[in-house]
Amino acid sequence: METNIYLFKESADFWIILQTLAIIGSLIYIIRQTWISKLANTVNAIRDYRNEWDSSSMEKSRIECCKSSELFNSTTTTKNEARIMNFYESLGLSLKYQVVDKNYVYHEFGYYIEYFWLLFKDKINDSRMRDGDETLYEYFEYLNKKMKKIAGNKYIYGDKSEEEIKRFIEDTLFLED
C-alpha cells in the first residue's frame, strides 16, 4: 500500500497560497515604506522650520519684538510680531494637515509657542474683533491648544506669571549679545 501525503490536493492550491502570501508581504512592505517616507518628510519639514526659526533675520525679529514697548501697550501689530505670528500660523497649518508630527513640534518649539502665544494672544483677539475676522491666526491658536494637550499633566502649560514672562523676554534679549 502506497501512501501519498500531499499538503495540497492540487498544485493550484499551492500557487494560490503562495500568491496570497506574496501580496500580503508586498502590502506590509508598502505600508512600512509609506510610514518611513512620512517620517522623513516630518523630519525635513521640522528641520526647515528650525532653520527658519534659527535664522539671523528671525532671531532679530524675536529680539526686536521683545524689546518693543508696544508689545503690551498697543493693539497694532509690528512687522516683527507679524513675522513671528506668521511663522507659528504656518507651523500650525502644517500640524493641522499632518505635514509635521505633533510630538516633534512639541519638542522642538513647544516652549516658544507657549510664551509667544501668551505674548500675542491679546493682540490677536483685538485684531480679530477689530477686523471682524475670527479666523485670524487660527492655526497659531490651534498649534497652542495642541501643545497644551500634549503637555497634559506633565507640565503646567500656558499659566505663566508676569515674572516668568519677563524672564522669557530677558532670555530672548540675551540672544542679542
Side-chain angles (χ1 to χ4, degrees), residues 58-69:
M58 181 62 86
E59 187 176 288
K60 181 180 179 242
S61 290
R62 295 190 327 249
I63 291 167
E64 291 303 317
C65 175
C66 287
K67 274 182 171 178
S68 173
S69 61

Side-chain angles (χ1 to χ4, degrees), residues 11-101:
S11 68
D13 292 342
F14 170 76
W15 292 110
I16 290 171
I17 291 172
L18 189 61
Q19 287 173 342
T20 302
L21 292 173
I23 290 170
I24 290 170
S26 296
L27 287 174
I28 290 170
Y29 178 77
I30 290 169
I31 291 168
R32 184 174 179 276
Q33 288 303 108
T34 302
W35 180 80
I36 289 171
S37 177
K38 183 172 173 43
L39 182 61
N41 289 339
T42 291
V43 170
N44 287 333
I46 291 294
R47 184 195 64 230
D48 292 345
Y49 279 113
R50 174 50 78 184
N51 288 340
E52 182 180 349
W53 184 250
D54 291 339
S55 71
S56 59
S57 59
M58 181 62 86
E59 187 176 288
K60 181 180 179 242
S61 290
R62 295 190 327 249
I63 291 167
E64 291 303 317
C65 175
C66 287
K67 274 182 171 178
S68 173
S69 61
E70 302 294 309
L71 187 59
F72 298 108
N73 302 325
S74 174
T75 58
T76 59
T77 303
T78 68
K79 179 181 174 184
N80 291 313
E81 292 168 343
R83 181 149 194 240
I84 294 167
M85 288 188 270
N86 288 332
F87 173 84
Y88 285 124
E89 182 76 355
S90 175
L91 186 58
L93 184 65
S94 292
L95 183 65
K96 173 82 173 177
Y97 291 101
Q98 299 176 357
V99 174
V100 293
D101 179 78

Side-chain angles (χ1 to χ4, degrees), residues 70-71 74 76-77 81 120-127:
E70 302 294 309
L71 187 59
S74 174
T76 59
T77 303
E81 292 168 343
F120 295 140
K121 72 178 180 179
D122 290 337
K123 277 189 184 221
I124 290 171
N125 288 330
D126 288 344
S127 295

Side-chain angles (χ1 to χ4, degrees), residues 135-171:
T135 66
L136 191 63
Y137 295 112
E138 70 179 310
Y139 295 109
F140 184 7
E141 185 173 21
Y142 171 83
L143 178 64
N144 181 64
K145 287 178 181 177
K146 283 292 185 184
M147 297 303 101
K148 185 174 186 169
K149 187 175 180 180
I150 291 170
N153 296 331
K154 300 179 282 189
Y155 172 73
I156 300 171
Y157 185 97
D159 189 23
K160 301 296 180 211
S161 67
E162 282 187 37
E163 186 60 36
E164 289 172 303
I165 292 172
K166 284 180 185 175
R167 191 170 43 248
F168 171 78
I169 290 171
E170 289 170 4
D171 289 347

